[in-house]
Amino acid sequence: MLDFKNKTIAEIVSDDISTASVFKKYNLDFCCGGGKTVENACIKANINVDEVISDLHSNPSKNDVPELNFKNWNVDFLIDYIVNVHHTYVKDNLSIILEFSTKVASVHGHNAPETIEIDRLFTTLANELTAHLKKEETILFPAIKTKLKDNSYEYDKNVIAILEDEHDSAGTIVKKIQELSNNFTPPEWACNTFKALYFKLDEFINDLYQHIHLENNILFPKVK
Ligand SMILES: [Fe+2]
Ligand SMILES: [Fe+2]
């Protein structure tokens, strides 16, 4: 039986990406705060560690997620995957979610004031992410690829620390949205746009967690 308790959350998710859904269920951060062991993270969050471990062993979503062994991919391929899958997803979805969040805040803000704050937070996240993706695509990723071809090439590794800080900032915003939306649960009276907003936010944030996990826990350690 695997010793989940003393492994870090980042290690467990890196070994099996499908376990991400278990950590998300308990609101345990696997992308930015993934350096803690499961036991320490549970103690800090006041969560029963045995329940989490038991969920990790049964891991109901295991069969829904294709087994992609990101850890063994070469860096070049991993970068292309991150850009083609996750950066494309962000770019394709920001404007539609912003449209929903602005509409819901203006129509339902008086009954559900949290939607005004969610709209404000998501607007900030969208602006931050747009600048962040550009930095990765125009500065860091091309520098890593050049280094792979020419080992004598050097680039400023500080950019990685800056990008990690930006991941932390995105993680903080995302957690606030998750709390304000009651884990993406619309009120009973919610209209279809309201429901669509929470559905898309949930999907967007799942994608972002996996995206940041791939960068913080798999890509960056390979190139630091
Ligand atoms: Fe990225
Ligand atoms: Fe990033």
Side-chain angles (χ1 to χ4, degrees), residues 132 136 167 215:
H132 177 86
E136 290 177 341
H167 290 162
E215 291 173 355

Side-chain angles (χ1 to χ4, degrees), residues 82 87 129 132-133 136 140-141 163-164 166-167 208 211-212 215-216 220:
I82 289 170
H87 288 206
L129 276 180
H132 177 86
L133 299 195
E136 290 177 341
L140 181 65
F141 294 171
L163 293 167
E164 283 171 337
E166 292 176 0
H167 290 162
L208 193 62
H211 175 182
I212 294 178
E215 291 173 355
N216 275 4
F220 293 169

Side-chain angles (χ1 to χ4, degrees), residues 14 63 70 74 82 103 121-122 125 142 171 186 190 198 220:
S14 299
N63 298 326
F70 300 105
N74 69 45
I82 289 170
K103 189 173 171 193
L121 287 165
F122 195 79
L125 181 67
Y198 278 14
F220 293 169

Side-chain angles (χ1 to χ4, degrees), residues 5-218:
K5 218 183 231 183
N6 297 311
K7 272 189 152 181
T8 68
I9 296 178
E11 281 169 341
I12 296 169
V13 179
S14 299
D15 286 343
D16 178 3
I17 192 74
S18 74
T19 57
S21 56
V22 175
F23 293 115
K24 181 163 178 280
K25 176 181 159 193
Y26 291 97
N27 246 329
L28 292 168
D29 186 354
F30 64 88
C31 53
C32 296
K36 293 189 194 80
T37 63
V38 175
E39 185 163 38
N40 286 343
C42 287
I43 291 169
K44 190 155 181 254
N46 207 9
I47 293 168
N48 182 339
V49 65
D50 295 329
E51 256 175 57
V52 178
I53 302 281
S54 136
D55 273 14
L56 283 171
H57 282 297
S58 53
N59 191 15
S61 73
K62 200 169 173 72
N63 298 326
D64 303 342
V65 182
E67 291 275 334
L68 297 175
N69 206 344
F70 300 105
K71 276 201 314 191
N72 294 343
W73 289 6
N74 69 45
V75 167
D76 213 19
F77 188 78
L78 183 59
I79 288 176
D80 289 344
Y81 177 88
I82 289 170
V83 172
N84 289 319
V85 174
H86 294 292
H87 288 206
T88 300
Y89 173 84
V90 172
K91 289 173 200 164
D92 285 350
N93 285 278
L94 276 183
S95 60
I96 177 99
I97 300 177
L98 277 173
E99 199 184 304
F100 287 160
S101 72
T102 306
K103 189 173 171 193
V104 170
S106 70
V107 178
H108 300 294
H110 58 286
N111 284 331
E114 65 280 9
T115 58
I116 297 172
E117 184 62 5
I118 288 171
D119 180 45
R120 192 190 65 76
L121 287 165
F122 195 79
T123 304
T124 306
L125 181 67
N127 291 334
E128 286 186 7
L129 276 180
T130 303
H132 177 86
L133 299 195
K134 200 171 167 200
K135 249 178 246 169
E136 290 177 341
E137 288 175 23
T138 61
I139 302 171
L140 181 65
F141 294 171
I144 295 172
K145 288 192 172 211
T146 305
K147 170 94 183 159
L148 287 172
K149 289 194 197 100
D150 172 8
N151 201 31
S152 65
Y153 174 80
E154 285 309 331
Y155 63 94
D156 184 4
K157 297 265 167 73
N158 287 328
V159 71
I160 295 178
I162 295 169
L163 293 167
E164 283 171 337
D165 283 350
E166 292 176 0
H167 290 162
D168 284 349
S169 166
T172 306
I173 295 177
V174 156
K175 271 186 213 119
K176 279 189 203 147
I177 293 177
Q178 209 167 338
E179 277 166 30
L180 284 166
S181 66
N182 192 15
N183 228 348
F184 316 106
T185 315
E188 262 173 34
W189 50 264
C191 65
N192 281 338
T193 310
F194 202 143
K195 287 182 192 156
L197 170 66
Y198 278 14
F199 177 82
K200 287 299 287 181
L201 279 173
D202 191 9
E203 179 191 82
F204 187 90
I205 287 168
N206 275 330
D207 180 83
L208 193 62
Y209 278 151
Q210 303 229 349
H211 175 182
I212 294 178
H213 162 70
L214 288 181
E215 291 173 355
N216 275 4
N217 301 328
I218 298 184

